Amino acid sequence: MVKDCPQLADFFHKLVTTVSTFSFQLQQDDSLVLDPEFNVHPYEGDITEFKTKARTLVEDVIDPEHWNGNTSQHNHQPHTTETKSHELHCTSPEFSHRTLVDNRPKESRTKPVILLRQDANSGSSTSPQSQHATCLHTGAVQQKDISNSSSNSNSQENIDTESVQNSDSTMHDGKEHMTSDLPLDTWIFPLVQMGPLGVTVDEEVTSGILNTADSDMECYLASGYFNLTRTYMDIVLRSKAKFNMLMASPQVNGFYGAKGISGFIPDSYTYIAKKFCEQRDSRGQQDRIQMYEYYKDNWTFHAKGLWIYQSGKKLPFLTLMGSPNFGHRSVHRDLEAQLAIITTNENLQKQLHQEQERLYTQSESVDKATYQQEHRKVPLWVKIVSITTRNFW
């Protein structure tokens, strides 16, 4: 998907290295120890102090200014309250509206953005080189939009990110790197979620994307474990965009056939999906929100992602890919990371579209009648447990 992008590799290497500094390390004698330089224990010490210190370390990594280099030359826009935090606007002729905008004070901004250029062989070429995005620069989205200065493919795109000038060279970790004058066609936003530490970049950006999808858009949202947070669920139910929700059928859930209480986990997800279906139907949103279940004999399903299309377009212009399942555990308990990708690169768009099609063509539509089938009945105790514990998974 991405090649020749040291900035992206460096970002995630630094992130993983940082997380390891406040994580337990397994020793040869099977004992667990913390990094001696991180002197706050998570449960023997002050948990609040532990979270604060760990969050500070992570936020330093995901602070855009950490990756800009030569930050003293930046002229940041003042804080305003007129633009929604993390709202996605793409103002180019290709997708007409949406770009990641962060209106929080400078010290709170935590969204590095990696700008990519189209390969020289892209366009109608089907060569392997044209199927990747090559890294050009790492910058930080400030107050302005990411937009095209012209729909002419030969013109350079205007990237309004204070630090980004599509010049002959850029700065990365204080070092100068030569760039190309090829037009930018793909933007990558690394997103991180660490709910226990209060790092909620992914949740805020995902909410912003879903919130601003409107009636001229169609969204494909897949989750291996369908347990949307209340925020995501409310956004989907009140949205004007068309949604196609893909989840695992009970038979391809990873816990299907497990012994003991784990064997009832697929029933829990069935119950949660049924309740969502009932809320959809009560609002008369059956046509706008379609629900699908993936099934393939002897397979398990753990795919997750988001693909957004403009009405009338056959290829997506935006995708989310990574570890989050859009559920309670992903948002509030686990450590997650993914990429938000906006692209006008036709070859990349085709790949993303094919990925989506492979999943959805192996699925079947589900509705109220599906959950009324005898083999879909959920035991009462599973319903009770699902309601009381859904925030844990």
Side-chain angles (χ1 to χ4, degrees):
M1 179 60 66
V2 181
K3 70 174 184 180
D4 300 332
C5 191
Q7 293 94 329
L8 187 60
D10 289 349
F11 173 80
F12 280 108
H13 177 265
K14 180 65 174 177
L15 180 64
V16 172
T17 301
T18 298
V19 172
S20 70
T21 64
F22 56 83
S23 301
F24 285 107
Q25 308 293 324
L26 181 63
Q27 306 299 299
Q28 291 184 347
D29 61 358
D30 292 334
S31 62
L32 295 174
V33 298
L34 280 174
D35 188 314
E37 295 186 6
F38 194 90
N39 54 10
V40 184
H41 199 279
Y43 55 85
E44 292 180 355
D46 187 327
I47 184 60
T48 300
E49 184 181 358
F50 173 86
K51 291 181 177 180
T52 299
K53 186 174 181 179
R55 181 174 64 250
T56 300
L57 292 175
V58 172
E59 288 182 340
D60 179 62
V61 175
I62 62 180
D63 181 354
E65 293 194 13
H66 178 88
W67 301 95
N68 285 340
N70 199 20
T71 58
S72 62
Q73 296 181 6
H74 297 164
N75 179 23
H76 297 289
Q77 295 292 321
H79 171 70
T80 67
T81 59
E82 298 178 357
T83 306
K84 293 181 180 179
S85 177
H86 296 303
E87 188 172 358
L88 188 72
H89 293 285
C90 301
T91 56
S92 72
E94 179 67 21
F95 20 87
S96 76
H97 66 286
R98 318 257 191 275
T99 199
L100 283 172
V101 173
D102 191 347
N103 72 345
R104 293 174 299 165
K106 179 179 67 176
E107 62 271 15
S108 301
R109 293 173 183 161
T110 53
K111 293 195 306 300
V113 54
I114 292 176
L115 309 178
L116 307 183
R117 65 171 173 80
Q118 183 174 338
D119 277 334
N121 294 324
S122 64
S124 59
S125 170
T126 57
S127 65
Q129 291 92 337
S130 67
Q131 297 176 359
H132 300 271
T134 303
C135 191
L136 177 64
H137 182 80
T138 302
V141 174
Q142 303 299 339
Q143 292 292 4
K144 300 182 181 180
D145 288 344
I146 291 178
S147 60
N148 287 338
S149 59
S150 170
S151 59
N152 186 337
S153 60
N154 293 322
S155 66
Q156 291 194 358
E157 296 181 12
N158 176 27
I159 310 302
D160 290 322
T161 59
E162 297 301 331
S163 61
V164 179
Q165 304 295 331
N166 197 13
S167 57
D168 293 334
S169 63
T170 60
M171 299 295 295
H172 172 55
D173 286 349
K175 299 178 181 180
E176 188 173 41
H177 296 265
M178 297 306 294
T179 66
S180 169
D181 59 359
L182 290 174
L184 299 171
D185 67 2
T186 300
W187 296 263
I188 292 184
F189 301 82
L191 307 177
V192 177
Q193 184 76 14
M194 300 183 181
L197 304 182
V199 177
T200 59
V201 177
D202 181 71
E203 178 189 11
E204 294 175 56
V205 172
T206 300
S207 296
I209 292 173
L210 297 177
N211 252 322
T212 56
D214 54 28
S215 58
D216 70 340
M217 293 188 177
E218 185 167 8
C219 305
Y220 290 78
L221 189 153
S223 175
Y225 298 108
F226 187 79
N227 182 26
L228 298 183
T229 66
R230 173 56 59 186
T231 297
Y232 293 161
M233 189 179 300
D234 288 345
I235 292 173
V236 172
L237 289 172
R238 69 169 184 263
S239 174
K240 294 182 180 179
K242 179 175 175 60
F243 277 86
N244 301 284
M245 318 292 287
L246 180 62
M247 63 201 79
S249 66
Q251 295 83 356
V252 300
N253 185 291
F255 292 94
Y256 184 75
K259 295 181 180 180
I261 194 171
S262 296
F264 291 93
I265 290 179
D267 285 339
S268 294
Y269 286 109
T270 292
Y271 181 66
I272 291 171
K274 177 185 176 183
K275 299 302 290 184
F276 177 80
C277 181
E278 291 174 350
Q279 291 188 58
R280 178 200 67 173
D281 293 354
S282 68
R283 290 169 168 79
Q285 300 291 322
Q286 297 93 322
D287 293 334
R288 188 181 64 81
I289 305 174
Q290 299 287 321
M291 298 174 64
Y292 298 90
E293 285 185 348
Y294 180 95
Y295 176 80
K296 191 172 184 179
D297 194 31
N298 295 320
W299 281 55
T300 58
F301 177 80
H302 198 255
K304 69 284 297 273
L306 177 69
W307 302 260
I308 300 183
Y309 299 67
Q310 274 195 310
S311 295
K313 301 287 186 178
K314 295 183 178 180
L315 300 176
F317 71 87
L318 185 150
T319 190
L320 295 180
M321 59 173 63
S323 62
N325 276 297
F326 308 102
H328 283 267
R329 187 175 185 88
S330 288
V331 171
H332 301 297
R333 299 190 178 278
D334 287 346
L335 309 186
E336 307 278 13
Q338 66 177 340
L339 303 177
I341 301 177
I342 302 173
T343 184
T344 60
N345 185 311
E346 185 174 350
N347 286 297
L348 178 55
Q349 289 177 314
K350 287 179 179 178
Q351 284 185 302
L352 297 174
H353 176 67
Q354 291 168 0
E355 176 187 51
Q356 179 270 117
E357 276 197 322
R358 282 195 296 268
L359 294 174
Y360 279 79
T361 55
Q362 197 64 42
S363 66
E364 294 185 357
S365 178
V366 297
D367 55 22
K368 180 180 178 180
T370 304
Y371 299 110
Q372 292 177 338
Q373 298 175 22
E374 186 66 27
H375 68 282
R376 290 298 187 100
K377 290 186 176 180
V378 178
L380 177 61
W381 73 268
V382 174
K383 295 180 182 179
I384 296 173
V385 171
S386 299
I387 293 173
T388 57
T389 65
R390 65 175 297 180
N391 289 350
F392 292 88
W393 41 279

